[in-house]
Amino acid sequence: MLPWILSVPGYAATLDQEREQAVALAQEGRVFEAAERLRALEARSPNQPRLQADLIVVLRLVGDNAAIVSRTQDLDPESVPDYAHMSWAFALRDEGEFAAAAAILRDSRKRLGSSAQILFAVASAEAGDAATARQALAEIDPLPESVQELALMAYGLRQSDTPRQALAMANRARARDPQHPLAFQEQTLALWTLGASNRAFAAMQERPDLFEVDVRYQAEADAIAADIRQALDIRSKLEAEGRHEERDRELNRVLASADEFLSRIPEAHPQHLRVRFDRIALLRELERMPETVAAFEALPERTIAPAYVRRAAADAYLAEEQPETALPLYESLVPEDEPPEVSLLLDLYYTHIALEEYSAAADLLERAQRHTPVWLDIDPDRDPIPNWERVDVDQLRVYDAAYRQDLDRAWERSGELVRQAPAHAGLRNTQARMARWRGWPARSRDITEVAERWAPDARDTRLNRAENARDLGEHDTWVREVESLRADYPRSTDVQRLSEELEDRGRPSIESEVVFGRTSGGEGLVSGDRDREWRTRLNSPWSDHPLRAFLEHRYTTASFGDIDGRYDRIGAGIEWDARRQQAWLRFDRDLKGDANPGIAAGWSRWLGDHWRIGVEADSYSMETPLRAIDAGLKGWSASASVDWRAHESLSAYANVGLLSIDDGNRRSSLGGGVTRRVYASAHHTTDVGADFFFQNNSQPGGPYFNPEQSASTSVRVDHDWITWRDYDRAFTQHFHAAVGTGYQSGFGSDPTVALRYEHRWDLDRRWSVDYGLGWGSTTYDGDREDRLFGLVRLRGTF
């Protein structure tokens, strides 16, 4: 019945009149009353296109978007007049129905004009259809005059991943109205999207009311992150310019900003945690390793920390000598399905080295070499380019050999790298370090001077200069270089170590050794029984000249049947050590009473890296046999020595001496030997050697053992086993064995044997203790004497 009634002309006219009256109410601003009338009409006469369109428009004016959405769910946009499409699309968009909003305008937007085209593009972008949005916005020509529409276009462009065009559109809108809210927002957000976080955050500070608190927090966090990146770039530039004192200024400023942000942002806020993450990485870049560790350990949940934070924490743990904690963090960064970064493999290598796990370190180095080609094929139309990451790997192969105490191989590898890239300062510095480690400081200095041509202000170059000056005895240069490094790199572990070594020169030190033995054999032991030798020396700090004073106590005693021979002397002296020369002077006397004053002096000098010569003289020599002392005799001595050192694995010595005793006897001697390293690994070294000794007495016989001639030859082997090591602390076992032949005038030759086993404890960088047992067997006057002895040594810097 109803369709027939609606077709009656009079009824339709009445419906249009009532609809128009309701619309008129809306035009007068009485939108709620208009909405009620239109709802009533729609209830009486459903499915009327113009009535539905008017109701959509008025409900939009009322703000009842939900009603529009519910009433239009099954409507075909083509069944509703175009003039309602904009209100309908706006309502759907406000309700988050972006795809539906775009669908409303898909066919009608061109008929409705640029406003509908803009709304269609915006809704499409919000629905994730960026390509459609970009195309729709590109079709708008000419651009609208409305600032609001220009700003809305900027919003659509930004949402469709074209921030540069969005910024240009926002700039156009702000040129017409600088204070337009949406234009200001879009300009700011486009800048933010383009990475100009600092400019964006500054703009938000100008008009914070236009941005939600969370957005401002995120922008500020982004600005802090951008500041960190910029500060790192500034640091690299300042380092390249040699302005090392200023290098961390910007990073410290950013750290202060991060701390201020964290002080006022609630801990529960996501941006608070994010800035805490960035702060950890920032502390690591500043080499504030203890603070990095503390900040990481203070995180509420460390497992959620992103990779760059775990990397920073691992670096800090390793620098703080906690490799067991660093290892799982580094391992958590290794991807499962692709090769890891070379730098990560190298960090893992150093971690295993610190843990004394040399086999695992070797595997990592081999893996790094396998995954790091020498050349990179970037462009098939061009020649390959050098892969500079490979340089780090090849340099580490040099150090790897050195860490395994194979310095010969390390030197060979460093030389090969320099031949391949002679102008690379880093490789030159590595070669200089290897030369110094082999005992060639003069050669190391020459190589460092070559590196200075390309990188005079590089940290490695300056470290080499400082360490070369130390080993060459150029103390003023050493002090100057260390002070400069300490000012520029106060937290560098290498610089701190050098600084500590320098500070040790300003501390007193002690050296003490006690050897005590029992001897068994023939009648009237020649070497004495119940022997004991104790030497202690206390050194003052070094002065700037460089000089130091010392006190020395020397005590030697042994029993010869019913006779006890004894030396017990105290002395004071002064020592000078500079430019690879050493000289000392000592005044001494017997500890008890004021008897037998003496004076002793010595001098030695290195001639280049391989030769050292020295002389010594003592007016009251403790080389005088104890039996001679007991008989009231005394003597003076003089000696000269020559040492040759090819490198750490090959050396030789020779010396001549003269002891003049009061009875007129002149005891002259000649000795020498050679040592060769035959095996070296990370924890073991084995040296073999041969020694000879010859002695002649001008007046044989007397109250002491004094053959006309005596001699000995022997071969020996020494083995060191680093059983345990933790940075400066270590436990080393030392084994010594020697066999040979001893000769004495009138008695011929007999075999000799010497065995010794020692423990060495390095308690830290400044203190060490040694102790051990030994046994030896030799022949005097045809009778064999066996000696069992023990020893204890202490060395330390207070």
Side-chain angles (χ1 to χ4, degrees), residues 269-451:
H269 197 282
Q271 299 307 319
H272 187 282
L273 184 60
R274 175 193 171 187
V275 172
R276 287 180 71 177
F277 287 154
D278 288 347
R279 183 176 182 272
I280 291 170
L282 178 54
L283 287 170
R284 184 263 173 270
E285 289 296 334
L286 286 166
E287 298 184 84
R288 293 164 66 162
M289 301 308 191
E291 295 174 70
T292 305
V293 169
F296 181 73
E297 292 182 348
L299 289 175
E301 180 55 60
R302 299 175 209 168
T303 57
I304 65 171
Y308 74 95
V309 176
R310 284 178 280 137
R311 181 72 173 270
D315 291 346
Y317 279 119
L318 185 58
E320 287 299 293
E321 300 184 359
Q322 300 180 49
E324 67 285 347
T325 308
L327 182 60
L329 287 172
Y330 281 133
E331 289 178 336
S332 72
L333 302 169
V334 178
E336 295 182 359
D337 302 326
E338 59 185 41
E341 295 180 11
V342 175
S343 62
L344 177 58
L345 288 176
L346 302 190
D347 285 338
L348 276 165
Y349 167 89
Y350 281 116
T351 305
H352 283 289
I353 288 291
L355 289 167
E356 298 293 317
E357 297 171 351
Y358 284 83
S359 177
D363 292 341
L364 285 162
L365 185 55
E366 190 277 331
R367 186 178 179 187
Q369 188 175 11
R370 188 171 64 252
H371 291 304
T372 314
V374 176
W375 301 95
L376 295 175
D377 290 317
I378 303 297
D379 188 341
D381 298 328
R382 297 184 179 180
D383 293 335
I385 63 172
N387 181 7
W388 293 111
E389 282 189 330
R390 179 58 182 258
V391 175
D392 295 333
V393 177
D394 288 341
Q395 283 195 100
L396 190 54
R397 292 184 69 245
V398 175
Y399 286 104
D400 180 70
Y403 297 153
R404 297 169 194 275
Q405 305 192 82
D406 191 350
L407 287 167
D408 184 51
R409 178 172 295 181
W411 173 251
E412 180 183 344
R413 288 177 176 176
S414 69
E416 180 60 30
L417 291 178
V418 167
R419 282 190 291 274
Q420 293 175 7
H424 193 290
L427 297 179
R428 291 280 184 178
N429 277 315
T430 295
Q431 187 184 41
R433 190 167 287 116
M434 293 306 108
R436 187 170 58 255
W437 289 0
R438 300 206 79 183
W440 305 332
R443 189 168 187 175
S444 178
R445 179 179 57 189
D446 293 342
I447 298 170
T448 302
E449 288 174 353
V450 176

Side-chain angles (χ1 to χ4, degrees), residues 749-794:
S749 299
D750 290 288
T752 61
V753 180
L755 301 172
R756 190 170 72 252
Y757 172 61
E758 297 179 31
H759 287 174
R760 176 186 176 93
W761 288 93
D762 293 305
L763 306 178
D764 57 22
R765 185 175 51 82
R766 299 202 303 260
W767 289 90
S768 66
V769 175
D770 299 51
Y771 53 85
L773 291 172
W775 175 81
S777 180
T778 190
T779 300
Y780 299 102
D781 293 339
D783 294 326
R784 181 162 296 279
E785 295 185 7
D786 296 331
R787 179 173 178 256
L788 180 67
F789 65 92
L791 62 89
V792 178
R793 300 188 195 95
L794 172 68

Side-chain angles (χ1 to χ4, degrees), residues 17-335:
Q17 289 174 355
E18 292 184 54
R19 180 180 60 77
E20 290 172 358
Q21 289 171 358
V23 171
L25 289 173
Q27 291 170 342
E28 294 172 5
R30 297 157 64 182
V31 291
F32 289 97
E33 186 177 348
E36 289 302 320
R37 289 196 182 188
L38 288 171
R39 281 194 182 97
L41 288 173
E42 205 269 340
R44 281 174 22 215
S45 305
N47 302 323
Q48 295 298 304
R50 292 183 65 84
L51 180 57
Q52 289 175 332
D54 290 342
L55 184 56
I56 290 171
V57 173
V58 173
L59 287 174
R60 174 64 182 169
L61 293 173
V62 170
D64 195 352
N65 294 326
I68 297 174
V69 173
S70 64
R71 286 174 174 274
T72 59
Q73 285 182 351
D74 299 324
L75 281 182
D76 181 358
E78 290 300 314
S79 69
V80 178
D82 289 353
Y83 68 83
H85 284 192
M86 290 285 287
S87 296
W88 188 0
F90 270 123
L92 289 168
R93 177 172 175 263
D94 287 351
E95 290 298 303
E97 302 285 344
F98 304 120
I104 298 300
L105 297 170
R106 190 174 307 280
D107 295 327
S108 61
R109 67 183 192 275
K110 293 184 178 179
R111 298 193 298 269
L112 292 170
S114 61
S115 296
Q117 187 82 334
I118 293 169
L119 181 56
F120 170 75
V122 167
S124 297
E126 291 171 329
D129 190 355
T132 298
R134 288 193 293 267
Q135 182 178 353
L137 290 170
E139 292 172 353
I140 298 174
D141 186 27
L143 293 177
E145 295 295 326
S146 166
V147 176
Q148 175 67 20
E149 290 188 341
L150 288 172
L152 199 59
M153 287 183 69
Y155 170 79
L157 288 166
R158 183 173 61 83
Q159 290 293 325
S160 58
D161 302 323
T162 53
R164 293 189 182 279
Q165 292 91 322
L167 179 60
M169 197 63 68
N171 290 341
R172 180 186 291 269
R174 287 205 67 198
R176 298 185 182 181
D177 182 359
Q179 300 304 316
H180 189 274
L182 183 58
F184 188 93
Q185 283 180 320
E186 288 309 311
Q187 184 188 56
T188 301
L189 296 175
L191 285 169
W192 186 12
T193 305
L194 288 168
S197 306
N198 286 295
R199 290 180 60 187
F201 178 65
M204 291 180 189
Q205 296 296 91
E206 292 179 23
R207 299 183 67 178
D209 56 301
L210 296 179
F211 303 91
E212 296 179 358
V213 172
D214 285 350
V215 172
R216 296 203 305 272
Y217 285 168
Q218 185 177 354
E220 186 172 3
D222 277 358
I224 290 172
D227 283 346
I228 293 173
R229 293 190 294 271
Q230 185 178 13
L232 290 172
D233 291 339
I234 292 172
R235 181 172 70 175
S236 298
K237 181 180 178 182
L238 291 174
E239 285 183 330
E241 296 173 355
R243 296 160 62 186
H244 301 286
E245 291 185 3
E246 306 171 46
R247 61 192 292 272
D248 288 335
R249 185 176 299 169
E250 282 300 306
L251 286 172
N252 283 313
R253 184 191 65 77
V254 181
L255 179 62
S257 298
D259 289 341
E260 191 277 332
F261 177 89
L262 294 173
S263 70
R264 58 182 167 79
I265 304 303
E267 288 191 15
H269 197 282
Q271 299 307 319
H272 187 282
L273 184 60
R274 175 193 171 187
V275 172
R276 287 180 71 177
F277 287 154
D278 288 347
R279 183 176 182 272
I280 291 170
L282 178 54
L283 287 170
R284 184 263 173 270
E285 289 296 334
L286 286 166
E287 298 184 84
R288 293 164 66 162
M289 301 308 191
E291 295 174 70
T292 305
V293 169
F296 181 73
E297 292 182 348
L299 289 175
E301 180 55 60
R302 299 175 209 168
T303 57
I304 65 171
Y308 74 95
V309 176
R310 284 178 280 137
R311 181 72 173 270
D315 291 346
Y317 279 119
L318 185 58
E320 287 299 293
E321 300 184 359
Q322 300 180 49
E324 67 285 347
T325 308
L327 182 60
L329 287 172
Y330 281 133
E331 289 178 336
S332 72
L333 302 169
V334 178

Side-chain angles (χ1 to χ4, degrees), residues 523-562:
E523 296 293 331
L525 296 175
V526 171
S527 59
D529 188 16
R530 300 181 185 277
D531 63 282
R532 183 169 48 176
E533 184 176 348
W534 180 19
R535 176 182 176 273
T536 298
R537 173 168 159 159
L538 287 170
N539 303 301
S540 74
W542 287 96
S543 70
D544 294 336
H545 294 293
L547 293 167
R548 70 176 177 181
F550 63 86
L551 292 173
E552 188 172 46
H553 176 228
R554 293 174 298 160
Y555 175 85
T556 301
T557 183
S559 299
F560 301 92
D562 297 331

Side-chain angles (χ1 to χ4, degrees), residues 537-685:
R537 173 168 159 159
L538 287 170
N539 303 301
S540 74
W542 287 96
S543 70
D544 294 336
H545 294 293
L547 293 167
R548 70 176 177 181
F550 63 86
L551 292 173
E552 188 172 46
H553 176 228
R554 293 174 298 160
Y555 175 85
T556 301
T557 183
S559 299
F560 301 92
D562 297 331
I563 301 172
D564 287 335
R566 182 189 307 271
Y567 277 107
D568 192 2
R569 295 182 66 79
I570 185 91
I574 191 168
E575 181 181 8
W576 173 82
D577 185 2
R579 300 190 178 278
R580 308 200 81 190
Q581 294 187 74
Q582 182 190 40
W584 55 271
L585 179 67
R586 183 186 71 233
F587 297 92
D588 55 15
R589 63 177 178 80
D590 290 343
L591 181 63
K592 295 181 180 180
D594 192 16
N596 300 317
I599 182 172
W603 172 86
S604 65
R605 176 173 183 167
W606 278 95
L607 306 175
D609 284 332
H610 302 292
W611 293 92
R612 181 174 65 177
I613 57 175
V615 293
E616 289 187 10
D618 191 345
S619 68
Y620 190 87
S621 177
M622 291 184 69
E623 294 179 19
T624 306
L626 288 173
R627 283 181 181 269
I629 293 293
D630 182 69
L633 302 173
K634 59 183 178 180
W636 60 267
S637 64
S639 65
S641 63
V642 177
D643 295 288
W644 173 77
R645 189 177 188 275
H647 40 68
E648 79 294 336
S649 299
L650 180 62
S651 61
Y653 71 93
N655 54 55
V656 295
L658 174 66
L659 173 64
S660 177
I661 304 175
D662 285 354
D663 61 0
N665 185 33
R666 299 291 184 269
R667 175 173 288 181
S668 56
S669 61
L670 173 65
V674 63
T675 301
R676 175 71 185 184
R677 178 160 295 173
V678 295
Y679 177 75
S681 67
H683 297 109
H684 295 271
T685 58

